[in-house]
Amino acid sequence: DDDMGERVVAFVQAAPDVVADGGVGPGLADELTAYARERIAHFKVPREIHFRDELPRTPTGKMVKGKLRDEYAAL
């Protein structure tokens, strides 16, 4: 981000039975944004939502946030 150096971005792995692209009606990204706006401060709501088939995890199941940050910075 030009002002703050970083921005709030969400990486989402949708459940197997959920269509991430939306299909008919509002998309999942719009639903997630609306949900977040009702529950958290506006500056904490992700400005971008990226859907992935799988999120990078350690063998114990913990998400590797640094890998996501590095991949996003390379975009």
Side-chain angles (χ1 to χ4, degrees):
D1 187 58
D2 294 335
D3 296 330
M4 303 301 287
E6 291 186 352
R7 68 174 56 194
V8 181
V9 177
F11 288 90
V12 177
Q13 179 180 342
D17 58 337
V18 176
V19 178
D21 64 358
V24 178
L28 182 57
D30 294 337
E31 290 180 36
L32 292 171
T33 301
Y35 182 86
R37 282 189 180 140
E38 293 175 2
R39 289 165 175 77
I40 60 177
H42 71 91
F43 63 89
K44 294 182 180 181
V45 175
R47 294 177 186 245
E48 299 176 27
I49 298 179
H50 299 275
F51 293 97
R52 298 180 54 131
D53 293 332
E54 288 188 21
L55 295 171
R57 297 188 183 274
T58 66
T60 59
K62 186 175 179 179
M63 189 168 37
V64 184
K65 296 178 201 171
K67 187 172 182 178
L68 288 172
R69 188 178 298 121
D70 294 343
E71 289 176 15
Y72 181 75
L75 292 177

